[in-house]
């Protein structure tokens, strides 16, 4: 399944890549919190439990994936490409074609939290 959110902020690819780190994940997504150290992979806590979160720079921004999540939960935060080239696009995927409505609601709540967090993070001074 896949989900999208559009974030109305004007940032560049390098802003996303430089500022969205694992160690400051709580500053732009209250649903996640670092449980240890790590630049590329870090243990994190979430509503769904503890996982290892991997961060990669990709064209347009970053990708984060919960490596040990049975749903292969992953999301990208990008700019400069469709569907909104002048805004930030969050694209979240799981490796299921169907999930129970409660889980889908939790994913949508996560997306709203991430969207709100990114809005506040990039509109506040560095």
């Amino acid at each position: 399944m896949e989900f999208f959110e559009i974030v109305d902020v004007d940032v560049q690819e390098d802003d996303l890549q430089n500022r969205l780190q694992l160690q400051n994940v709580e500053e732009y997504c209250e649903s996640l919190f670092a449980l240890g150290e790590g630049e590329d992979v870090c243990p994190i806590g979430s509503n769904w439990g503890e996982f290892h979160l991997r961060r990669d720079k990709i064209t347009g921004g970053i990708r984060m994936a919960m490596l040990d999540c049975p749903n292969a939960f992953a999301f990208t935060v990008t700019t400069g490409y469709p569907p909104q080239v002048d805004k930030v696009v969050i694209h979240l995927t799981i490796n299921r074609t169907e999930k129970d409505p409660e889980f889908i609601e939790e994913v949508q709540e996560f997306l709203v939290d991430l969207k709100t967090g990114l809005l506040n993070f990039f509109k506040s001074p560095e």
Side-chain angles (χ1 to χ4, degrees):
M1 298 181 79
E2 64 181 332
F3 307 83
F4 288 90
E5 279 289 340
I6 306 299
V7 187
D8 190 11
V9 291
D10 182 23
V11 297
Q12 302 301 311
E13 175 181 324
D14 60 335
D15 293 324
L16 296 174
Q17 293 173 341
N18 294 330
R19 294 188 60 199
L20 301 180
Q21 302 294 322
L22 292 173
Q23 293 304 306
N24 71 342
V25 70
E26 291 174 66
E27 293 179 34
Y28 57 89
C29 185
E30 290 183 1
S31 297
L32 303 176
F33 51 95
L35 295 172
E37 301 291 322
E39 278 188 44
D40 296 328
V41 177
C42 177
I44 56 104
S46 73
N47 296 344
W48 301 291
E50 295 180 12
F51 300 96
H52 288 87
L53 188 65
R54 179 176 179 84
R55 178 190 172 279
D56 294 295
K57 288 183 181 180
I58 60 171
T59 301
I62 62 161
R63 175 187 301 115
M64 292 202 184
M66 292 182 186
L67 300 179
D68 32 14
C69 174
N71 295 301
F73 189 98
F75 61 93
T76 61
V77 179
T78 59
T79 191
Y81 295 94
Q84 291 284 327
V85 297
D86 57 342
K87 301 202 182 336
V88 169
V89 176
I90 302 168
H91 177 225
L92 186 149
T93 60
I94 60 172
N95 64 350
R96 305 282 188 257
T97 57
E98 295 180 17
K99 284 296 275 185
D100 63 83
E102 183 178 316
F103 183 79
I104 299 302
E105 185 176 318
E106 290 172 354
V107 169
Q108 291 169 332
E109 288 170 2
F110 173 85
L111 281 170
V112 168
D113 177 51
L114 181 57
K115 178 180 179 176
T116 302
L118 290 169
L119 273 168
N120 294 331
F121 186 76
F122 284 108
K123 288 193 176 188
S124 64
E126 288 184 53

